[in-house]
Amino acid sequence: MFLDFVEGPLWYAAAAVFLVGVAWRLAAIARAGLKEDLSVPRTAGAPGAVATVFRRFLPHREFMRPAAFQMVAGYAFHIGLFVLVLFAAPHVEFIEQRILGFGWTPAPHWVFLLAANFAFAGLLLLWLRRMLDPVLRRISTLDDHIGTGLTFVVMFTGCMALFESHDFLRALHMLFVDLLLIYFPFSRLMHAFTFILSRGFTGATMARKGVSA
Amino acid sequence: MGKKSPEAAGRRRRMMYRALALMLAAVLLLPLVPYAVAYVGGITNPNPGADLWRQVRQRETPPEVRTQVRGVDTGVLINARGESWRQFRMEQLIPWSGWFLGGMLVAIALFYLLRGRIRIDKGRSGILVQRFTVNQRLAHWFMAVVFTILGLTGLVLLYGRFVLIPLLGPEGFSVTAAACKEIHNLFGPIFPLAVLLILFYFVRGNGFRGVDFKWLAKGGGLLGGHASAGHFNMGQKLWFWGTLLFGLSLVVSGLILDFPVFGQGRPVMEWAHFSHGIAAVLFIGGAFAHSYIGTLGMEGALEAMTHGTVDANWAKEHHDLWYAQMEAEGKVGAVPGQEAPASSGSPETAGG
Amino acid sequence: MARMKFLCDAERCIECNGCVTACKNEHEVPWGVNRRRVVTINDGEPGERSMSVACMHCSDAPCAAVCPVDCFYTTEDGVVLHDKDICIGCGYCFYACPFGAPQFPTAGAYGSRGAMDKCTFCGGGPEPDGSAEEFKKYGRNRLSEGRLPLCAEMCSTKALLAGDGDKVSDIFRERVTYRGIGTLAWGWGVAYGKGGVRQSSGLGGKASSTKE
Amino acid sequence: MSERFEQGVAALRRLMDARIVSYFSSCVHCGLCAEACLFYTETGDPKYTPIYKLEPMRKMWRQENTFWGKLGVKLGLTEPLAEQDLADWETLVYDSCTLCGRCSMVCPVGNDIAYMIRKEREGMVAAGYAPDGMKEATRRALEIGSPMGVTLKTLRATLKGVERNTGLAIPVDAQGAEYMTLFSSMEVVNFPEYIESIARIFAAAGVSWTISSEAFEATNSGIQIGDSKAAGELVGRVVSAAEKLGVQYVISPECGHAFTAIRWEGANLIGRPLPFKVIHILELLEQLREEGRLKLEGHTDIRLTFHDPCQIVRRGGVVEQPRQLLREVATEFVEMRDHGVMNWCCGGGGGVSANERAEPLRLQAFQRKKKQLDELGVETMVTACANCRIILEEGIEHYGMDVQVTGLTELLAEHLAGPAES
């Protein structure tokens, strides 16, 4: 009943909102348009865009120290989350049965635990800093807290359901997954897709100027 | 030298055969003598297995044991310590910790009724002093969140059978307990990180000094008279070192319990559980007092951990030596980047 | 009411592991779990003894006492069973059990413990007797069919006895008296033959009832 | 709601291009940009966080480009961008941002924050919220031809002095010259040494150059205040003068934003490709040196460092040239810890130097440069931007430091080989 609903109708609705919403957001960016840059470039923009998409995975050497916290916590969270989402055994099974029709080798249990620990520690540290650091307090919006909170709850309920013996816990997890998917396109969680565009735009502009950004 | 007759030779050979046969017979029959004696005399020897079973039962010197089944402790026939562990958990840990934690709450409630909220005597001055850095606060709240998650799930597992089964029913509680167990096991390995952060960011200023013992003698000012203190008073220092001590104990025993895949047997696990339970209960009891005095119990204390600043009058009343030092260094009132209520005409309409 | 018990006669057990195999096969026990095991003491030395161990279905079961979710129950036959739907795999029963009976299927290294699994005295679980669900979780329910545990049934030397405690102890008592003790418990005739050591001393009458 | 405000909103709406929409969609408010901004690091005040300076534009984006924002405004739950927001943010946008773009280099999702602030200023100025000093400078630039009020007369007087000092004839309005030079007013008024230096170098290297009497001003207040119309007007003057003289190259002087204005924004401002190539003086000098036309001799053994002007280096792409040139003439050239594209701004770029009320804040922000210099312990700093140079000198004066600031072109002219050396 509850599980059937959150894994059935609600899941399809959430996935639809997610897909359509993300597409709509990306289309909105395209629709906003970009004026052609008439200045004479030093180097081509496109390779610079690609380069910057990858280069920004690490801060500039000079900025390592100021960015150390966000680097460590950010990577712990993001890599952890990535492993959890794509390689946790129940997720692989779900993807195989409900989405793609094929799966892949799931991560062993100890990798899952390690990933979950990294993800939780990273997310908690980042979230707490958002509440404590005057800078982050100043710039954070309600959306930041809802987005972080939803992600936290999804991870938390996911781990609660780790024992895989109670449908209720699985359903609870699925419920929050559905909510997260529905919330996703309307929120800052969109950065998961748009960061490529942002880095690309900046990288292209800077490459035209001959600066590797 | 007479020559040997063939008869003599034949006689000797026969004698040799007979002797051999006799010796063979003796060899074969002699071991039967005790049986024969026993049979005839009705002697009852003690069962040779008795000593063996005694050994197995009491495990003083465990006998050499082999089994086809691979696994932890599969070679142990009788685990005699299981019973003492059961006694500890069911008859000591659960009831005694219940009394301790309950007593702690009652004591705090009584303290609140008798002493009330500890106010800033002189009122707020409006002048702020930076007390904790962002990183210190981060370490504190990280510990607080992880501790709360672990503490709550741990208590559910400890008392749930007695408190929650009547409320949720066995099925309902099983769901709760399964979730709690997974969360407890999963957040466990994050706890060492929290302990390390606390150690790293708070170890400075937490060394014991002479003034701390005077503070203790005056009961932190509760027993009359003003008790001087530096950046941390004796209570806070004890709490800091307690955190490390209990934290270490919980981390070591917790990791042993959390990952039962390194061949640690039941004696190790039982020991780990013993120390895990005691440390956790004491830690949680301390946390009750700590949270009370940091929030409801004392005016002006919580903001030190939320905004990182305290009012100058609060500092004077509770940490006079530290305040004097801050004053000497010209750090009173200079709080960079603080969102003071009267922040220099900056735009406040943003956000949300 | 019957009170079901196991009893392993260490003088008879020859460590053939037939009981272990029978159990594993009958219940389709998962990989890594052994509800029954044979333990040999002083292997290869004089005085070697073997013994088959599993859940002994204690009267005051320590596992049930320490279980944080109270998932154990004792049947009318005195069989200690547990509900896998309620079990959370914490492992406390394993610490408390004197015999190391509770087993946990692990999911690889850093194994999180699954729901506990142990000998059911071939008595199944809380599901309807003989249901497929019951078989999947707990193995075959022979008791409901009026049959005793397969391990004992399969024991080639009849070292492992299972059944109502009174009957089992009667059989064992007879054996002990029949074969005597100490150095006298020796020889084919004593162990399996008709003539007992004490037969002449007037106790022999009952020995014939255990005759194979 | 005033008409001016409507214009500001319209400008912001018009400027909301794919880049900005993408940037706001990506921002996760991680706060890292604060650490990159000298106004934040030197004051510790969170309101100086770069992305926070974009709050008005973010509000605009939210109400125009996001679902919740649109819905919220319709239902009256979300307050739309109000005129008060622009008023409140004026100081943040103009006084505490030098458009140095350091934040743009560190943003993990790759947002070009400096670009957004540049666009936000368009909206601010359209709504009438800009500092008086900058408004005045822009007015002077449009009316007199120079933000500092330098007229052709002033230039001629300076050039006379230059000719006297160098003994060289300075070509003005020479038809068919290859290069046309521009100057920043500051160079004309405060640093005629720069003009002398390029005159000597060009004479020695045999460069065919000229100055236009119609457009010699390189600075572009329109860029700084964020007024594209004014900026286009100022660029247009240079373009028509260059077309009139038929030059192939226009040389951007040692002035940061002037280079950005003509090199990177020029064509976009006038809406067509420039009919000439724009080259920065340092690019040209390095090119001449490589071609062997610029011969240098002698070294200075003074320990010195190079201050990267943001608009030339980070936002302009002239990174290696000044270092190559400097190594030719200085044996003891040392780099500050953060240099090149990660340098720290002097604190006076992006029009902040023209904004009187920003001076105390600017001097506070200068502490960042002071720390860098103290750490290095040098007494000579070379730079290549007249505006940086003035700001650096002011800061050094304010903090009573013992540091000399000199222009790179001058330093090169001092080591010019051959008879030109006086």
Side-chain angles (χ1 to χ4, degrees):
Chain A
M1 339 120 304
F2 181 30
L3 181 64
D4 293 338
F5 176 66
V6 293
E7 279 199 350
L10 188 60
W11 155 251
Y12 288 115
V17 169
F18 173 76
L19 290 174
V20 172
V22 168
W24 180 76
R25 281 292 295 272
L26 294 177
I29 292 174
R31 242 190 1 256
L34 199 59
K35 268 196 196 156
E36 189 197 350
D37 192 341
L38 298 170
S39 64
V40 184
R42 270 194 233 278
T43 57
V50 176
T52 298
V53 168
F54 289 98
R55 205 177 284 121
R56 283 285 165 101
F57 280 117
L58 275 183
H60 280 265
R61 189 175 42 79
E62 292 90 338
F63 208 62
M64 283 284 184
R65 194 187 291 237
F69 173 82
Q70 277 91 342
M71 262 260 284
V72 173
Y75 268 112
F77 165 64
H78 279 102
I79 293 177
L81 186 68
F82 183 77
V83 173
L84 291 187
V85 169
L86 290 183
F87 293 101
H91 293 175
V92 174
E93 197 182 309
F94 189 85
I95 290 168
E96 183 173 0
Q97 289 174 1
R98 302 291 302 277
I99 305 174
L100 295 176
F102 62 91
W104 45 84
T105 315
H109 196 76
W110 68 272
V111 171
F112 174 85
L113 282 185
L114 217 58
N117 278 319
F118 273 105
F120 270 118
L123 186 61
L124 261 182
L125 284 171
L126 289 169
W127 198 9
L128 285 172
R129 195 179 182 98
R130 187 175 289 293
M131 299 180 212
L132 294 170
D133 189 312
V135 166
L136 289 163
R137 221 167 6 204
R138 178 64 70 103
I139 62 177
S140 294
T141 61
L142 186 62
D143 173 36
D144 291 319
H145 290 286
I146 296 177
T148 314
L150 259 180
T151 312
F152 184 84
V153 172
V154 165
M155 281 162 54
F156 201 78
T157 51
C159 291
M160 279 161 69
L162 208 60
F163 195 56
E164 290 189 74
S165 69
H166 299 285
D167 280 352
F168 173 75
L169 294 175
R170 182 186 168 102
L172 199 65
H173 179 51
M174 275 308 292
L175 173 69
F176 283 108
V177 170
D178 293 342
L179 290 180
L180 184 79
L181 285 177
I182 292 169
Y183 185 69
F184 194 102
F186 306 103
S187 71
R188 62 163 207 146
L189 298 171
M190 273 302 290
H191 77 274
F193 294 100
T194 57
F195 85 97
I196 298 174
L197 294 175
S198 294
R199 287 183 188 177
F201 283 133
T202 302
T205 313
M206 296 306 272
R208 287 175 61 86
K209 294 180 176 183
V211 174
S212 60
Chain B
M1 321 277 155
K3 84 177 203 356
K4 288 165 188 166
S5 69
E7 297 97 290
R11 204 167 45 240
R12 234 181 309 164
R13 195 160 51 240
R14 269 196 301 278
M15 271 180 67
M16 217 169 74
Y17 285 143
R18 280 188 201 122
L20 266 176
L22 192 67
M23 277 162 70
L24 199 64
V27 164
L28 286 175
L29 291 174
L30 272 176
L32 293 177
V33 169
Y35 292 92
V37 170
Y39 182 73
V40 172
I43 300 167
T44 47
N45 283 345
N47 187 338
D51 287 338
L52 188 68
W53 297 128
R54 202 170 295 120
Q55 255 186 351
V56 167
R57 182 73 184 83
Q58 292 161 356
R59 293 201 64 206
E60 273 145 8
T61 44
E64 200 177 302
V65 153
R66 207 174 60 86
T67 171
Q68 300 291 331
V69 173
R70 297 274 158 263
V72 175
D73 279 353
T74 50
V76 179
L77 206 46
I78 303 288
N79 169 35
R81 291 186 204 191
E83 185 57 20
S84 53
W85 178 76
R86 170 187 171 177
Q87 298 291 337
F88 163 69
R89 180 177 159 81
M90 306 312 290
E91 265 134 59
Q92 289 163 350
L93 180 63
I94 289 178
W96 292 2
S97 66
W99 287 115
F100 171 69
L101 294 178
M104 205 69 198
L105 292 176
V106 170
I108 289 169
L110 279 177
F111 181 77
Y112 178 70
L113 291 175
L114 292 175
R115 178 66 177 80
R117 190 166 205 220
I118 300 170
R119 303 249 165 221
I120 301 173
D121 285 344
K122 294 205 182 88
R124 286 178 186 269
S125 65
I127 302 165
L128 297 180
V129 193
Q130 181 85 31
R131 184 150 168 82
F132 295 117
T133 66
V134 171
N135 285 338
Q136 282 179 317
R137 284 177 279 152
L138 190 64
H140 172 267
W141 289 112
F142 185 67
M143 169 57 106
V145 170
V146 176
F147 179 84
T148 307
I149 290 173
L150 287 169
L152 281 177
T153 51
L155 289 177
V156 165
L157 292 172
L158 190 63
Y159 301 121
R161 177 169 174 176
F162 311 99
V163 180
L164 292 177
I165 289 184
L167 293 173
L168 305 170
E171 317 272 315
F173 178 64
S174 173
V175 172
T176 314
C180 285
K181 188 202 92 171
E182 293 302 332
I183 292 297
H184 196 82
N185 286 356
L186 207 111
F187 272 76
I190 302 177
F191 191 67
L193 175 65
V195 175
L196 272 182
L197 287 176
I198 290 287
L199 172 67
F200 186 78
Y201 284 111
F202 287 93
V203 72
R204 258 192 70 202
N206 262 311
F208 294 109
R209 291 189 313 182
V211 66
D212 295 328
F213 297 96
K214 277 183 212 151
W215 187 93
L216 201 60
K218 288 181 183 172
L222 291 175
L223 306 179
H226 177 260
S228 281
H231 193 285
F232 296 112
N233 63 37
M234 190 59 159
Q236 290 167 314
K237 287 178 184 180
L238 288 174
W239 179 235
F240 169 79
W241 292 108
T243 299
L244 286 193
L245 189 75
F246 295 138
L248 190 73
S249 163
L250 287 168
V251 164
V252 172
S253 56
L255 289 176
I256 290 171
L257 290 165
D258 201 357
F259 300 112
V261 291
F262 297 102
Q264 63 268 46
R266 278 166 296 180
V268 178
M269 302 288 259
E270 283 152 13
W271 168 83
H273 180 273
F274 184 79
S275 95
H276 201 78
I278 293 174
V281 166
L282 292 176
F283 204 172
I284 292 170
F288 285 164
H290 172 77
S291 338
Y292 167 75
I293 204 72
T295 53
L296 186 64
M298 184 183 281
E299 183 187 5
L302 183 63
E303 57 210 55
M305 265 307 160
T306 54
H307 285 70
T309 53
V310 290
D311 193 89
N313 280 348
W314 182 92
K316 269 185 241 173
E317 284 166 26
H318 297 292
H319 299 274
D320 51 343
L321 301 177
W322 170 68
Y323 181 80
Q325 190 193 336
M326 292 299 278
E327 208 168 30
E329 289 171 16
K331 286 179 183 165
V332 172
V335 182
Q338 194 49 55
E339 294 167 275
S343 182
S344 57
S346 68
E348 292 288 348
T349 48
Chain C
M1 196 92 295
R3 192 152 190 100
M4 293 302 180
K5 290 291 173 199
F6 281 121
L7 194 150
C8 182
D9 186 345
E11 304 296 328
R12 282 182 172 229
C13 180
I14 56 166
E15 198 201 348
C16 70
N17 277 298
C19 49
V20 177
T21 315
C23 173
K24 225 170 152 59
N25 190 50
E26 178 75 353
H27 302 298
E28 293 174 17
V29 175
W31 167 257
V33 171
N34 288 283
R35 291 182 178 180
R36 178 168 283 289
R37 68 188 197 279
V38 177
V39 175
T40 307
I41 305 162
N42 295 336
D43 191 27
E45 287 165 33
E48 168 187 325
R49 289 291 189 284
S50 288
M51 196 170 227
S52 176
V53 218
C55 173
M56 300 300 270
H57 302 277
C58 308
S59 300
D60 172 22
C63 51
V66 299
C67 178
V69 292
D70 203 8
C71 76
F72 290 90
Y73 61 100
T74 307
T75 67
E76 291 178 338
D77 293 330
V79 177
V80 176
L81 296 178
H82 70 293
D83 188 340
K84 281 194 182 182
D85 291 342
I86 288 180
C87 169
I88 59 168
C90 67
Y92 285 179
C93 46
F94 180 60
Y95 305 157
C97 177
F99 308 107
Q103 303 283 302
F104 298 90
T106 54
Y110 273 52
S112 84
R113 284 181 278 223
M116 189 269 276
D117 189 277
K118 73 170 188 67
C119 161
T120 60
F121 209 82
C122 289
E127 278 79 6
D129 288 343
S131 62
E133 209 188 338
E134 183 190 44
F135 178 75
K136 197 167 160 245
K137 286 181 192 160
Y138 307 96
R140 205 167 304 285
N141 189 342
R142 293 168 57 87
L143 276 188
S144 67
E145 300 164 5
R147 293 189 286 174
L148 287 171
L150 189 68
C151 48
E153 202 162 282
M154 296 279 274
C155 182
S156 54
T157 60
K158 290 289 163 275
L160 187 60
L161 306 172
D164 182 14
D166 293 340
K167 289 193 178 138
V168 168
S169 54
D170 282 348
I171 293 169
F172 188 64
R173 196 180 305 114
E174 260 170 49
R175 277 188 193 175
V176 171
T177 48
Y178 175 67
R179 69 185 167 220
I181 46 163
T183 50
L184 297 183
W186 183 83
W188 186 267
V190 173
Y192 304 110
K194 287 204 175 89
V197 177
R198 292 289 171 90
Q199 196 171 23
S200 56
S201 54
L203 290 164
K206 282 179 186 165
S208 58
S209 67
T210 62
K211 170 227 180 273
E212 182 272 301
Chain D
M1 216 183 274
S2 75
E3 201 180 312
R4 282 306 294 270
F5 175 64
E6 283 297 335
Q7 285 172 10
V9 170
L12 286 176
R13 190 178 291 134
R14 193 178 63 245
L15 292 165
M16 202 66 73
D17 63 7
R19 285 179 73 178
I20 296 175
V21 174
S22 158
Y23 290 160
F24 278 124
S25 303
S26 296
C27 180
V28 293
H29 297 134
C30 71
L32 260 182
C33 47
E35 297 294 333
C37 179
L38 73 171
F39 290 99
Y40 171 73
T41 61
E42 300 318 302
T43 61
D45 193 330
K47 72 180 178 185
Y48 294 129
T49 306
I51 197 72
Y52 186 66
K53 298 169 193 168
L54 287 161
E55 239 357 77
M57 200 177 206
R58 197 182 71 84
K59 277 194 166 182
M60 192 66 200
W61 162 78
R62 199 178 51 171
Q63 79 193 45
E64 301 272 322
N65 297 66
T66 70
F67 177 80
W68 291 132
K70 278 184 200 165
L71 189 72
V73 170
K74 263 195 201 115
L75 298 178
L77 296 171
T78 311
E79 270 185 46
L81 179 67
E83 183 152 14
Q84 191 56 41
D85 294 327
L86 300 188
D88 287 342
W89 254 263
E90 185 189 314
T91 51
L92 281 184
V93 174
Y94 284 101
D95 297 20
S96 69
C97 177
T98 63
L99 299 177
C100 82
R102 200 168 187 271
C103 47
S104 303
M105 299 299 280
V106 306
C107 177
V109 294
N111 290 351
D112 191 346
I113 298 166
Y115 171 84
M116 292 198 275
I117 296 213
R118 164 77 181 76
K119 295 293 173 190
E120 188 179 49
R121 283 186 180 184
E122 298 263 350
M124 300 285 284
V125 79
Y129 290 99
D132 292 339
M134 290 173 78
K135 281 189 204 160
E136 265 307 289
T138 312
R139 190 189 58 77
R140 279 195 299 267
L142 288 172
E143 286 172 9
I144 307 171
S146 153
M148 290 173 73
V150 174
T151 58
L152 186 60
K153 261 188 212 153
T154 329
L155 175 70
R156 286 201 192 281
T158 305
L159 290 183
K160 219 167 262 169
V162 171
E163 286 183 329
R164 197 166 47 238
N165 283 348
T166 58
L168 296 165
I170 307 297
V172 177
D173 291 335
Q175 276 290 334
E178 196 179 355
Y179 293 92
M180 180 177 111
T181 61
L182 301 175
F183 299 112
S184 113
S185 323
M186 287 192 198
E187 283 154 356
V188 177
V189 179
N190 295 354
F191 307 115
E193 308 92 289
Y194 168 74
I195 308 179
E196 290 179 29
S197 301
I198 65 162
R200 284 210 186 98
I201 292 170
F202 285 174
V207 173
S208 136
W209 69 294
T210 187
I211 298 170
S212 167
S213 60
E214 285 174 24
F216 56 85
E217 178 61 57
T219 60
N220 192 324
S221 298
I223 289 284
Q224 294 181 324
I225 199 169
D227 185 342
S228 287
K229 225 174 113 213
E233 161 78 22
L234 294 172
V235 170
R237 288 177 192 171
V238 173
V239 173
S240 68
E243 277 175 331
K244 207 174 278 177
L245 292 175
V247 296
Q248 292 170 30
Y249 291 94
V250 166
I251 302 172
S252 180
E254 275 196 350
C255 172
H257 84 275
F259 182 59
T260 290
I262 190 137
R263 175 70 176 87
W264 303 114
E265 294 207 29
N268 299 323
L269 286 169
I270 62 167
R272 63 184 167 99
L274 296 175
F276 49 80
K277 284 182 185 152
V278 179
I279 189 165
H280 190 260
I281 181 70
L282 293 182
E283 285 182 280
L284 178 60
L285 292 177
E286 172 61 9
Q287 191 186 315
L288 293 174
R289 188 190 67 78
E290 276 192 339
E291 289 169 359
R293 292 164 72 187
L294 170 60
K295 292 192 179 62
L296 299 165
E297 65 172 21
H299 302 286
T300 172
D301 297 331
I302 302 167
R303 211 165 112 88
L304 50 78
T305 188
F306 182 69
H307 165 77
D308 297 88
C310 312
Q311 298 298 328
I312 294 171
V313 180
R314 176 163 46 236
R315 307 291 285 182
V318 185
V319 187
E320 283 310 310
Q321 290 91 336
R323 296 183 157 73
Q324 300 275 3
L325 290 166
L326 204 46
R327 280 192 203 102
E328 286 292 313
V329 295
T331 50
E332 293 287 304
F333 166 48
V334 287
E335 293 275 24
M336 286 179 269
R337 194 194 287 170
D338 292 351
H339 62 267
V341 296
M342 285 301 285
N343 78 313
W344 289 94
C345 178
C346 60
V352 174
S353 59
N355 181 355
E356 296 87 358
R357 68 165 183 232
E359 190 173 316
L361 181 61
R362 168 163 65 75
L363 286 169
Q364 202 181 349
F366 183 79
Q367 287 176 346
R368 173 47 64 174
K369 196 65 13 188
K370 181 175 184 296
K371 275 176 219 160
Q372 283 192 294
L373 290 171
D374 290 349
E375 192 179 85
L376 219 52
V378 295
E379 288 175 358
T380 301
M381 177 159 50
V382 181
T383 188
C385 168
N387 188 52
C388 290
R389 195 166 159 182
I390 293 212
I391 297 298
L392 292 170
E393 280 174 353
E394 275 183 30
I396 286 163
E397 178 71 25
H398 180 79
Y399 288 103
M401 294 156 68
D402 188 18
V403 178
Q404 293 288 319
V405 185
T406 182
L408 179 52
T409 312
E410 290 162 58
L411 186 68
L412 293 172
E414 278 172 29
H415 292 91
L416 205 54
E421 185 81 7
S422 54

